[in-house]
Amino acid sequence: MNPGKTAPRLLEDLLSYDPRTSSIGKNVLADPAPIFEDAETYVSRLPRNSCRHQYTINPLQSVIPSLDARPEQDTKWRVAATCQICRCHLTLTVQFEEDSGKTSPCPNTEHPLHFFTIQSRREPKESWTSENLSHRAREREFCFQCTSPTCTALLWIVLSPPRLTSEQISILTDPDKLRSRYDAAVSAEPARGFEEASGALALFRLHTYLRDGLDAKFNRSHFPKNNKFFLVTFGDDCDNFLRSLGFAEEEDSEGKSIWRIPRPPPKDNVFDQASHRAFLECVVEELDILIFKKPTVERQTVKNFIYQPIPSRKDLERVLGMLDYEKISNSRTFDPNVPEHPYYASLGAVADFSDNLILYSYDRQVECDVENSPYYFECLQDLATGRNSEALQTKVATLASQDQISRKDIAKAYQYFGVDKKHVEIISDDHILGLFQSRLPDIGPSQESEMREMLRTLARARRSKLLAQAASNTIETYGQALSWLGAEESTADDFILTLFKMKVDENAAHREPARKAVQLVADTRKSKALESFLTTGKMFSVDMDPADAFRVLDLDLLGRDAEDDYIVSVYQTRLVEAPEREWEFISALKAIAKDRDSRRLKEVVDLGLGSNVSATGPPMHDIPVGLHNLAVTCYLNSVIQLFFSLKPFRNLVLNIDRYMMEMTPQDLQSKRVGGAVRTAKEVDLSQQFAVALAALFDKMIHADTRIVKYDTEFARLALASLSKDLVTRRRSTVGGHRPSIVQSIQDERRLQSLAETENDQLQQEPLVQVSGSQHSSQETLVDTSMADAAKDEGWNDSKMADVDTLQPTSFKNEKYSNSKSLLDQTSDPMPLDEDDYEEHVQRQNTPTMVNTEGPALSMIPEGVGNDDEAMPTLAETSTAENLPPTRAAPKPELPPRQTKNDQKVSELAAVEDTAKQQDAAEVTDNIVSKIRTAIAASGHDERLEQIDPVRNVLFGIQKDVIIRPNGQEDTQTNLFDVIRLHLPAPMHIYEALDDAFDIQDKQLDGGIVQGYTSISACPPVLGIQIERGIWDAVNQRSSKVEHHLQLDDLIYLDRYMETAHHDDLFALKQQKWQLRTEQAALEAERAALVGPFGDLDGPTTVDDAAKFITCLEDAVEDEDSDSTLEGDGAPSLLRAKSAELNLAIYNKKQEIEKLREHINASFAHLHEHSYRLYALCMHRGNPGFGHYWVYIHDFINGVWRKYNDDKVEVVDFPEIEIFQPSEEKSPIPTPHYVMYVREDRKELVGEPLCRRPLAGEKDADVEMETMNEDW
């Protein structure tokens, strides 16, 4: 942060800040106070001839709090004032923003004053005195923010120049001009009895006209132009001046010339500074000041002039929260002729502060500007002496005992090492460490102690861990070992040995501490090379040739064409296949990373080169574990982290045996999940997975490592789809066309029939292993080799494609049920008792084993493709225009693996091939479906669908309405667990949701009907899937949509709710549908103007054509040719057309924005169903390959974390990384799946940090809080 200042200091600087002289030296208001060296060299902060402002209040533009008023959320106060000396206009606005975490605004007990730091500033280059420019072009604007952790105050200061220019004042008040007007009037009409006007009288008459125009109660709207007072005051030479103020010269009904007084409309709010009324209010204030400054004799010519300016100082103090702040007993008023000591300004304080406020200012300043803390300590030292303050001196002594240093201490330390103060800013820590280490062998013990103390001082001044470790002279930690060797964390292992040899050659007595240092480095890095050196005296070379590195990893066939993520996947696969060659693979990856200069590969190297333990980071109980990427399973890792973070889901899984379903014939007969009756084999596989997931969750809680690995068996269980889920599997990132909001009733009936008639026919077969496909984890299209294998089992490849092309509604529907409601189902919250977790911990002495016996669940169910009536053909569901490919172009096969464990390789290959055909959305479906299949039902709804704790947390109820041409409505209610959004262009979350819910045309039974969807019951956890895949019919390939989805941290679903309980909601919806129809028409018109060529829009194209013709004309002239180009005016016409198109595009954009604002404003009062953003599953890549990670919001600890496989880290700037569009080049990271949670349940549902690492026996007293709320 920047240095700051208390409110009293800011007010003193504001009163001294003169924009007319701000270009000379520092800006006293916005710039940090200059460092005070000595009185002779110190340059005053205030330039000469600066105005010490005397601001008086402008009540018409001010909002002043009462004496006892306390700010609340959204409180906004303003002081508008005008300087009596220079007529500078000041607008000071304080606003307290809404923030549930900051509820105690300053002043309060802990923070007696605001302490502001500057956030932004606008200082135009144009001179303040350049009166040929508008006053707005010369305004200065500054924004400050209070740094108190409990206060949300934002402070805006706007200073603008006088509204009346010196030329305007002169033309109005110059005695010679007034005499000329008087003479002209008398000469024209001698008998009218004119009296000469004085300058004060001229100002007052203008003041009267404007005052009357601003007064709504004043009825007079004009006066005759030949009014005798007007003639002698303004004549004819003030016409332009009067017009600039808004006067209008007109003729009345009798044809006589009149001047119409400006009567601006009332302001929308008192904070409006841009209106003409606000401008005239400022002019009236200036006229009062100008009249008041006239000589007394001249003012006496003005009758009825009453002006009592009210100083604004007290109002400014009240708004800034500094009334009656604590002062020293001998407090004095500010005297500009006796400047206070510069140390006060440096601390952001003023001279009349009490000692307590001086200490408060010091603490806040050090917190805001840590880098200059030695200087602030020096300020405090001198003020403690100068004020003879016991309290300040005690503070100085305490800080000194805590190793706080001053600039004098730092200067002494630099001088000790012979460093010139001119070079302090440019020398590195390594240079200082070299000076220290070069002197160390030549000095005695007493001198060594002094030199280490000097080095310690520089370490604190530079905040250098390197110097601090060197000064400590101990070798107990990894950092101290590096410091002793003169190395850094990035120093390669081979150079560590070079440093070791240098130390030993320098002094033979260094051999033992050098070995200890290398041992610490080897242990921390898990370096087999250094371990080998310590054991044998030899080290494996890390300088591997890149070509050899590709060969070691079996990547020599792909070579440099392989993508980084693919290289990482192969590298991790090789580690599993041949762990005895780990160091060789590590060296290979390091060589490729260095050759490519790849940040991605370097991250993998820096994370420990495949090790399961990270060397550095926060305490393990303060950060969740990472998950090892087994084989293209980044998306599986993301989904596991997401489900683990959901506290109700995690608690159920950890106590899975309490919820496990019994395999009785009666229970199996009623086991209906996802619209399908589940078979015994499906339940058995699901329960195997649930047990394995419970073991993994337990490991993620208690592991004493930072990274957790799961085996291939767990991955197989997680990725294998239940047979009936294949029937309704959806393509999540590769799709043929955008589905309509209401799925065709015929298609739904077809799916329903399929689910009901095939339940008993679906059988399970061993997992089909595909060994040549390199599809992305993002694609769900069927691979040819897989289809061929399936044909042997009776599966028809075309029918698999048919299932994939059956597009569902924008919701993932469990099933359609005509004219039936799910709203009467009983609520069944996550019924975890308080002792759930305690019992789980007590059971840990019994190892949890994953059942590896029995047949695996088939990826390709037998018999599904044999019912031609149940399965539509491809022609029935797709057209030639939107037909997706049946498979993606395969990438080269993996080269033959070199392994001694063929069974292990086979298992890993099967998992890898399965992984390449799924993505995060499918794995989410798999996990939810399996857990629901594994557990017992707590009840059944009217469709016999299972009710269970998972359903009550993750599923909501939607209502679909189809309106037939005769007005008949078909109503259907369905379960949903995710909303599917499409992004034809960059969109806001509300726009994309509107697309999913709004009324749309739909083909039904050969005709056109309309349909829309609403939400009948909101789930506690709301999933949103963003469709990112499209089929490029031109290039015949899948491509990814990278449009930005603008997410809001807090959204309201009221506008999408069923209207039964909201009288006016349906009318609002209908109004929105009409407005969105108008918006779509405007979007189409704007698109036609912009053109279809992306960055090369219509206006640019026309303008480029004009430039091209101009270039041709220039070329003709250069050749001195007699030929001429036809249409000499073509460039000008084209430029005019380009400007016309730009204006039209701008106007369309403005109309669209107004419609959007109108739509959002219509629902602004509906805040009953609020949801907070919880997680984003991200994808970067293309439909052929890519990488997944997830962001999760820890509400309890107030941080966002990024889970990127084995790397988990806090997001420093979530407002940029998560909410703003990416500035990277394509492929850019985009959210693929988004999760919101109910605002009133967010801390109960989301608990990403659940870590209790145990080195020995698990603590049986650990208890997990459970969810007992009724959802």
Side-chain angles (χ1 to χ4, degrees):
M1 276 196 294
N2 298 317
K5 59 184 72 178
T6 60
R9 176 77 263 163
L10 184 141
L11 180 55
E12 288 299 327
D13 292 344
L14 176 60
L15 296 177
S16 299
Y17 172 67
D18 189 348
R20 297 175 303 177
T21 59
S22 61
S23 60
I24 306 172
K26 284 186 173 291
N27 183 323
V28 67
L29 178 62
D31 292 335
I35 292 178
F36 178 78
E37 300 287 351
D38 54 66
E40 295 181 0
T41 60
Y42 184 78
V43 179
S44 173
R45 302 171 69 210
L46 299 179
R48 291 182 180 181
N49 303 321
S50 293
C51 177
R52 173 68 179 180
H53 298 296
Q54 296 178 11
Y55 285 116
T56 56
I57 197 75
N58 182 345
L60 295 177
Q61 299 180 3
S62 300
V63 180
I64 308 298
S66 60
L67 288 175
D68 58 347
R70 288 285 299 167
E72 299 177 351
Q73 300 286 355
D74 289 334
T75 293
K76 191 174 183 180
W77 293 325
R78 168 170 288 179
V79 175
T82 310
C83 178
Q84 292 287 309
I85 301 173
C86 66
R87 293 185 290 120
C88 170
H89 292 271
L90 163 68
T91 303
L92 184 146
T93 307
V94 177
Q95 181 173 0
F96 296 84
E97 297 187 324
E98 185 174 352
D99 189 333
S100 58
K102 297 183 176 183
T103 57
S104 181
C106 301
N108 54 52
T109 304
E110 187 175 355
H111 297 88
L113 291 170
H114 290 295
F115 195 89
F116 292 106
T117 57
I118 190 163
Q119 301 298 303
S120 63
R121 57 200 291 179
R122 179 172 61 86
E123 298 175 273
K125 296 180 181 179
E126 290 76 16
S127 171
W128 177 271
T129 57
S130 299
E131 295 184 337
N132 58 320
L133 300 173
S134 69
H135 69 276
R136 289 204 168 276
R138 295 175 283 150
E139 279 183 349
R140 270 63 173 157
E141 183 177 3
F142 306 92
C143 177
F144 294 82
Q145 183 174 22
C146 181
T147 60
S148 165
T150 64
C151 182
T152 63
L154 280 175
L155 170 66
W156 284 274
I157 295 175
V158 179
L159 296 113
S160 58
R163 304 300 188 262
L164 296 176
T165 67
S166 56
E167 180 182 354
Q168 291 170 338
I169 296 172
S170 173
I171 196 173
L172 187 61
T173 62
D174 182 83
D176 293 336
K177 291 184 173 61
L178 289 170
R179 170 56 64 89
S180 298
R181 293 167 195 151
Y182 169 76
D183 292 341
V186 171
S187 175
E189 298 179 85
R192 292 189 67 180
F194 294 103
E195 293 183 5
E196 185 176 351
S198 65
L201 189 57
L203 294 169
F204 179 71
R205 286 173 176 166
L206 178 60
H207 178 280
T208 302
Y209 289 139
L210 294 178
R211 181 196 61 197
D212 293 344
L214 293 172
D215 189 354
K217 299 178 182 179
F218 186 77
N219 295 325
R220 185 180 180 186
S221 61
H222 63 274
F223 55 88
K225 189 173 182 181
N226 67 344
N227 178 287
K228 68 177 185 178
F229 299 111
F230 178 85
L231 290 175
V232 298
T233 305
F234 303 101
D236 293 326
D237 52 347
C238 290
D239 289 0
N240 289 335
F241 172 43
L242 293 175
R243 292 189 187 99
S244 69
L245 296 177
F247 288 83
E249 188 177 4
E250 301 176 0
E251 289 185 357
D252 62 10
S253 58
E254 300 177 0
K256 297 180 180 180
S257 295
I258 61 171
W259 279 101
R260 189 168 296 279
I261 300 172
R263 298 187 69 86
K267 291 183 288 188
D268 293 336
N269 62 75
V270 72
F271 297 100
D272 179 14
Q273 293 292 102
S275 66
H276 187 56
R277 173 173 285 272
F279 171 81
L280 293 182
E281 289 171 350
C282 293
V283 172
V284 170
E285 285 291 319
E286 290 185 34
L287 291 172
D288 278 329
I289 294 172
L290 291 170
I291 297 171
F292 192 71
K293 291 169 68 174
K294 288 293 183 180
T296 304
V297 176
E298 188 174 341
R299 280 209 313 272
Q300 290 175 349
T301 63
V302 181
K303 299 177 182 180
N304 302 323
F305 174 70
I306 301 174
Y307 179 54
Q308 295 177 336
I310 302 174
S312 62
R313 173 89 188 216
K314 283 297 181 183
D315 292 323
L316 289 168
E317 291 178 350
R318 185 177 296 118
V319 168
L320 291 172
M322 53 175 283
L323 274 177
D324 301 324
Y325 63 81
E326 187 179 353
K327 301 179 176 67
I328 55 176
S329 57
N330 59 341
S331 176
R332 58 180 176 79
T333 57
F334 185 88
D335 185 353
N337 298 319
V338 183
E340 63 189 5
H341 197 284
Y343 282 150
Y344 287 106
S346 295
L347 292 180
V350 293
D352 65 355
F353 269 10
S354 67
D355 290 342
N356 289 334
L357 287 184
I358 292 292
L359 294 177
Y360 170 76
S361 302
Y362 168 82
D363 291 338
R364 299 300 301 141
Q365 194 69 290
V366 169
E367 184 175 343
C368 292
D369 187 17
V370 179
E371 184 175 355
N372 287 315
S373 59
Y375 171 63
Y376 301 133
F377 181 60
E378 182 181 315
C379 296
L380 188 63
Q381 285 177 316
D382 280 26
L383 291 179
T385 302
R387 293 165 67 106
N388 193 23
S389 166
E390 181 179 351
L392 298 186
Q393 290 172 352
T394 301
K395 177 72 170 182
V396 168
T398 302
L399 291 171
S401 68
Q402 296 171 351
D403 291 334
Q404 178 61 56
I405 54 176
S406 68
R407 292 189 307 155
K408 295 175 183 177
D409 299 325
I410 299 172
K412 181 179 178 181
Y414 278 122
Q415 186 178 6
Y416 181 89
F417 286 106
V419 177
D420 192 311
K421 63 180 182 180
K422 299 178 182 178
H423 303 151
V424 167
E425 298 295 330
I426 59 176
I427 63 171
S428 65
D429 292 348
D430 290 330
H431 178 79
I432 296 173
L433 183 61
L435 295 174
F436 167 80
Q437 292 175 336
S438 65
R439 297 184 183 188
L440 198 58
D442 303 323
I443 59 175
S446 61
Q447 292 175 305
E448 179 178 347
S449 177
E450 179 185 10
M451 186 165 69
R452 289 189 182 278
E453 185 60 34
M454 293 296 175
L455 186 64
R456 193 173 292 110
T457 297
L458 295 183
R460 289 196 294 270
R462 301 170 70 95
R463 301 196 301 280
S464 169
K465 292 182 179 179
L466 178 66
L467 299 183
Q469 291 166 354
S472 66
N473 194 31
T474 56
I475 311 176
E476 301 296 336
T477 67
Y478 174 56
Q480 291 169 348
L482 292 175
S483 175
W484 193 89
L485 290 169
E488 298 177 349
E489 290 190 13
S490 58
T491 303
D493 287 351
D494 53 349
F495 194 66
I496 291 287
L497 298 186
T498 302
L499 296 173
F500 169 87
K501 187 174 183 303
M502 291 171 59
K503 283 286 187 181
V504 174
D505 291 345
E506 179 184 290
N507 189 336
H510 288 166
R511 178 171 293 277
E512 285 307 313
R515 284 187 62 84
K516 182 178 181 180
V518 173
Q519 185 69 61
L520 280 168
V521 175
D523 292 344
T524 302
R525 296 184 176 183
K526 306 297 182 188
S527 170
K528 297 199 174 176
L530 296 181
E531 289 285 1
S532 174
F533 170 79
L534 292 170
T535 304
T536 65
K538 297 180 180 180
M539 176 181 168
F540 186 90
S541 173
V542 296
D543 293 331
M544 186 180 296
D545 182 82
D548 294 334
F550 278 99
R551 188 162 49 253
V552 167
L553 292 176
D554 289 338
L555 287 167
D556 48 324
L557 295 180
L558 291 178
R560 301 182 184 276
D561 293 333
E563 298 182 5
D564 287 349
D565 287 316
Y566 182 70
I567 292 175
V568 171
S569 300
V570 173
Y571 159 74
Q572 292 170 336
T573 302
R574 299 296 177 263
L575 288 178
V576 176
E577 294 171 345
E580 71 279 0
R581 300 176 59 196
E582 178 181 3
W583 180 249
E584 187 178 0
F585 296 145
I586 290 171
S587 302
L589 185 65
K590 190 172 184 179
I592 296 173
K594 183 178 180 181
D595 179 60
R596 289 187 167 203
D597 193 23
S598 166
R599 184 174 63 181
R600 167 74 174 133
L601 299 183
K602 288 179 180 178
E603 284 180 353
V604 176
V605 173
D606 293 340
L607 278 171
L609 300 169
S611 171
N612 198 35
V613 184
S614 178
T616 61
M620 284 189 290
H621 61 269
D622 285 346
I623 192 165
V625 297
L627 293 175
H628 178 69
N629 190 325
L630 182 63
V632 202
T633 55
C634 52
Y635 62 92
L636 176 59
N637 291 344
S638 299
V639 174
I640 291 173
Q641 293 281 18
L642 184 56
F643 278 118
F644 178 84
S645 74
L646 295 175
K647 186 177 179 180
F649 187 90
R650 182 179 67 234
N651 287 356
L652 181 143
V653 170
L654 289 171
N655 297 275
I656 192 63
D657 56 348
R658 294 185 58 186
Y659 300 96
M660 204 78 85
M661 168 191 167
E662 296 184 8
M663 303 274 282
T664 65
Q666 182 179 359
D667 289 334
L668 286 173
Q669 186 176 3
S670 62
K671 188 67 175 180
R672 189 179 184 92
V673 175
V677 176
R678 298 298 177 178
T679 66
K681 288 185 178 181
E682 288 178 313
V683 174
D684 179 64
L685 179 96
S686 298
Q687 292 185 346
Q688 290 183 48
F689 168 72
V691 171
L693 185 61
L696 177 60
F697 277 7
D698 179 74
K699 194 174 181 181
M700 293 170 69
I701 296 173
H702 294 112
D704 59 355
T705 60
R706 298 182 188 276
I707 303 171
V708 168
K709 290 182 179 180
Y710 47 79
D711 58 15
T712 55
E713 174 64 10
F714 172 83
R716 185 190 69 82
L717 291 171
L719 298 177
S721 298
L722 298 180
S723 298
K724 298 169 188 64
D725 291 339
L726 281 175
V727 176
T728 54
R729 174 180 291 175
R730 297 119 175 132
R731 180 178 298 110
S732 60
T733 56
V734 179
H737 64 279
R738 180 196 188 285
S740 61
I741 184 64
V742 181
Q743 181 59 35
S744 169
I745 290 181
Q746 295 98 321
D747 289 347
E748 294 298 338
R749 290 172 180 165
R750 200 173 287 126
L751 282 175
Q752 181 178 350
S753 173
L754 176 65
E756 293 176 347
T757 59
E758 296 293 338
N759 282 333
D760 298 328
Q761 300 179 21
L762 297 173
Q763 303 296 326
Q764 299 169 344
E765 298 296 336
L767 179 70
V768 179
Q769 296 180 1
V770 186
S771 63
S773 168
Q774 294 299 322
H775 292 305
S776 163
S777 63
Q778 210 182 23
E779 281 196 314
T780 61
L781 303 179
V782 182
D783 184 75
T784 301
S785 55
M786 185 173 184
D788 292 340
K791 288 178 181 177
D792 296 335
E793 305 294 334
W795 180 271
N796 187 298
D797 180 52
S798 67
K799 293 183 179 179
M800 169 64 96
D802 294 343
V803 175
D804 277 356
T805 56
L806 281 177
Q807 298 290 345
T809 172
S810 288
F811 291 86
K812 295 191 297 188
N813 299 322
E814 294 233 341
K815 186 180 176 185
Y816 257 56
S817 178
N818 290 329
S819 303
K820 290 186 179 181
S821 174
L822 302 178
L823 297 179
D824 56 349
Q825 69 181 52
T826 58
S827 175
D828 181 36
M830 252 335 163
L832 296 185
D833 299 331
E834 292 184 358
D835 58 345
D836 272 357
Y837 186 73
E838 185 175 359
E839 290 186 14
H840 163 71
V841 173
Q842 292 171 353
R843 293 193 298 272
Q844 295 308 305
N845 292 330
T846 303
T848 302
M849 299 298 294
V850 177
N851 184 10
T852 58
E853 298 179 356
L857 189 65
S858 174
M859 292 285 293
I860 305 172
E862 180 181 340
V864 173
N866 296 329
D867 187 351
D868 293 335
E869 294 183 1
M871 296 297 294
T873 65
L874 192 62
E876 292 176 280
T877 58
S878 299
T879 64
E881 287 76 18
N882 61 23
L883 182 66
T886 56
R887 64 185 301 269
K891 292 189 176 182
E893 296 187 2
L894 284 173
R897 297 176 173 84
Q898 302 174 7
T899 177
K900 299 178 181 179
N901 193 335
D902 293 338
Q903 180 180 357
K904 194 172 186 178
V905 173
S906 177
E907 292 174 357
L908 186 62
V911 170
E912 184 176 355
D913 286 324
T914 305
K916 291 169 184 173
Q917 300 173 51
Q918 297 190 32
D919 63 6
E922 288 183 292
V923 175
T924 302
D925 289 343
N926 276 343
I927 291 177
V928 171
S929 183
K930 288 195 189 84
I931 296 299
R932 293 191 65 205
T933 302
I935 63 178
S938 58
H940 294 83
D941 60 21
E942 68 276 8
R943 298 180 308 171
L944 303 180
E945 174 72 19
Q946 172 174 303
I947 300 175
D948 55 65
V950 176
R951 166 173 159 170
N952 291 327
V953 173
L954 300 179
F955 286 77
I957 300 175
Q958 71 179 83
K959 178 180 178 181
D960 293 331
V961 178
I962 294 178
I963 306 172
R964 297 181 180 272
N966 60 4
Q968 177 186 348
E969 291 188 358
D970 292 337
T971 302
Q972 302 165 340
T973 55
N974 310 279
L975 292 176
F976 74 91
D977 64 335
V978 71
I979 301 173
R980 292 158 57 92
L981 303 182
H982 297 261
L983 300 181
M987 303 179 79
H988 189 275
I989 180 67
Y990 281 127
E991 285 189 281
L993 288 171
D994 287 343
D995 278 352
F997 287 92
D998 282 358
I999 195 165
Q1000 298 179 19
D1001 290 337
K1002 172 68 182 176
Q1003 284 192 355
L1004 179 64
D1005 297 332
I1008 300 296
V1009 297
Q1010 288 190 314
Y1012 65 91
T1013 296
S1014 57
I1015 299 175
S1016 299
C1018 289
V1021 177
L1022 178 69
I1024 298 177
Q1025 182 181 333
I1026 298 96
E1027 295 291 333
R1028 293 288 182 183
I1030 59 172
W1031 173 244
D1032 187 344
V1034 176
N1035 297 311
Q1036 291 295 299
R1037 61 180 176 83
S1038 299
S1039 62
K1040 179 184 174 183
V1041 176
E1042 295 184 335
H1043 294 315
H1044 176 64
L1045 176 64
Q1046 182 60 53
L1047 297 169
D1048 281 354
D1049 187 45
L1050 184 66
I1051 63 173
Y1052 302 96
L1053 296 184
D1054 300 72
R1055 66 206 284 181
Y1056 309 114
M1057 298 300 296
E1058 187 181 359
T1059 60
H1061 304 296
H1062 300 274
D1063 295 336
D1064 63 338
L1065 184 55
F1066 189 69
L1068 291 176
K1069 286 187 176 184
Q1070 289 179 311
Q1071 180 186 27
K1072 181 187 71 169
W1073 296 340
Q1074 178 60 38
L1075 292 175
R1076 295 204 77 225
T1077 301
E1078 297 176 16
Q1079 178 184 335
L1082 290 172
E1083 293 278 9
E1085 293 175 13
R1086 182 178 180 274
L1089 293 170
V1090 171
F1093 301 111
D1095 295 336
L1096 190 61
D1097 58 21
T1100 304
T1101 304
V1102 174
D1103 193 59
D1104 287 347
K1107 293 177 182 178
F1108 177 72
I1109 295 175
T1110 302
C1111 291
L1112 289 179
E1113 292 175 343
D1114 293 342
V1116 170
E1117 293 177 1
D1118 291 341
E1119 295 174 4
D1120 293 329
S1121 173
D1122 293 335
S1123 61
T1124 59
L1125 291 173
E1126 294 184 2
D1128 293 336
S1132 299
L1133 291 174
L1134 289 172
R1135 292 189 188 98
K1137 188 62 177 178
S1138 176
E1140 179 184 336
L1141 287 173
N1142 268 319
L1143 179 60
I1145 292 171
Y1146 173 79
N1147 289 336
K1148 294 297 180 187
K1149 183 178 180 181
Q1150 293 298 107
E1151 292 181 55
I1152 292 169
E1153 289 301 320
K1154 288 181 180 178
L1155 283 177
R1156 287 172 178 162
E1157 292 173 2
H1158 189 178
I1159 291 171
N1160 292 329
S1162 301
F1163 299 92
H1165 63 290
L1166 300 175
H1167 289 168
E1168 182 179 347
H1169 301 278
S1170 57
Y1171 279 75
R1172 184 73 63 176
L1173 183 62
Y1174 179 59
L1176 298 87
C1177 187
M1178 307 293 292
H1179 175 265
R1180 178 172 186 164
N1182 52 60
F1185 202 84
H1187 181 63
Y1188 285 89
W1189 67 92
V1190 65
Y1191 294 105
I1192 301 178
H1193 193 179
D1194 186 340
F1195 298 116
I1196 298 174
N1197 294 293
V1199 297
W1200 280 90
R1201 295 189 187 92
K1202 179 180 181 180
Y1203 299 72
N1204 189 359
D1205 286 337
D1206 46 10
K1207 187 175 183 180
V1208 181
E1209 56 188 353
V1210 172
V1211 180
D1212 293 327
F1213 301 102
E1215 64 278 2
I1216 297 175
E1217 188 169 342
I1218 294 175
F1219 290 97
Q1220 292 188 8
S1222 173
E1223 296 181 356
E1224 301 181 39
K1225 294 182 179 180
S1226 183
I1228 63 175
T1230 54
H1232 169 72
Y1233 183 86
V1234 175
M1235 184 175 285
Y1236 279 85
V1237 296
R1238 268 175 49 180
E1239 171 69 9
D1240 59 343
R1241 292 290 189 269
K1242 62 179 186 293
E1243 287 88 358
L1244 300 176
V1245 175
E1247 190 187 47
L1249 183 58
C1250 181
R1251 287 283 281 135
R1252 298 168 181 85
L1254 302 176
E1257 291 294 325
K1258 292 184 172 67
D1259 186 356
D1261 294 330
V1262 175
E1263 184 174 322
M1264 178 178 290
E1265 188 176 321
T1266 59
M1267 184 75 66
N1268 288 313
E1269 268 67 2
D1270 185 357
W1271 293 105

